Amino acid sequence: MRFAAFRHVLPPAALLPALTGCAFGAFISPSTALEKALNGTYEGIGVGGTGRVPYRLVLSVQEREGRASGVMTNLESRKAYALSGKFRRSGEGGSLDVNLYENGDRLRGTLRGEIKGTQFSGTLRTVLLGKELLGYTVNLEKQVEGAAPNTPAVPAPTTP
């Protein structure tokens, strides 16, 4: 009789750790102070062979893994590129060395540069047939969350 009651209680008791989580007492902060400071949206201008081009970079860095990922958007053509690659901490910022992909698998460019404070400065190069070609000097500034995008506060007056 005692064994029968024990047999009904044991399986649910064995599942309890699996349902509540495997690591009792272990807590790893989801992001470091540096990650919180660097992750976000950057906007600015790239200057190169085809002139001035506005860009937006949505960046996420993982300091512990030395990785960076995100999305780079050409605001003129509205083309967006997934990016992933290396992140290396340096001082209060870090350096990026990432590749840009179109449709998830076609290498379309490289982005290399430094983040210092709220500024990203670097070089964006397009890739064609495996070769880095056109280069743009890119200067982006981190956007404050909740702020309006870079648009005029008052519309330009129209003349009749």
Side-chain angles (χ1 to χ4, degrees):
M1 185 75 77
R2 288 184 191 187
F3 180 71
F6 184 68
R7 186 177 57 168
H8 294 293
V9 173
L10 185 58
L15 285 175
L16 187 60
L19 296 175
T20 59
C22 296
F24 290 111
F27 177 75
I28 297 174
S29 174
S31 60
T32 66
L34 181 65
E35 291 171 354
K36 288 178 186 175
L38 299 182
N39 291 349
T41 303
Y42 295 78
E43 289 186 3
I45 301 292
V47 179
T50 61
R52 297 171 53 88
V53 180
Y55 286 102
R56 176 180 297 138
L57 170 65
V58 179
L59 180 66
S60 175
V61 298
Q62 296 85 36
E63 181 181 8
R64 291 181 189 106
E65 292 84 19
R67 304 285 305 153
S69 59
V71 176
M72 183 85 163
T73 305
N74 177 327
L75 296 175
E76 192 172 83
S77 69
R78 296 289 190 204
K79 282 195 170 190
Y81 304 92
L83 64 89
S84 74
K86 298 177 186 175
F87 169 77
R88 185 174 25 245
R89 180 183 183 144
S90 62
E92 295 299 314
S95 63
L96 293 180
D97 185 359
V98 296
N99 291 329
L100 283 74
Y101 298 93
E102 186 176 30
N103 296 330
D105 63 350
R106 287 188 232 136
L107 180 64
R108 292 297 188 220
T110 61
L111 179 65
R112 295 180 184 96
E114 298 285 325
I115 302 173
K116 293 180 182 171
T118 61
Q119 302 285 324
F120 172 81
S121 299
T123 304
L124 171 67
R125 295 194 180 274
T126 59
V127 172
L128 184 63
L129 301 174
K131 303 275 187 193
E132 292 184 15
L133 298 175
L134 286 175
Y136 292 86
T137 301
V138 180
N139 292 301
L140 309 174
E141 185 164 342
K142 187 171 183 187
Q143 303 299 298
V144 178
E145 288 186 32
N150 291 337
T151 56
V154 179
T158 58
T159 55

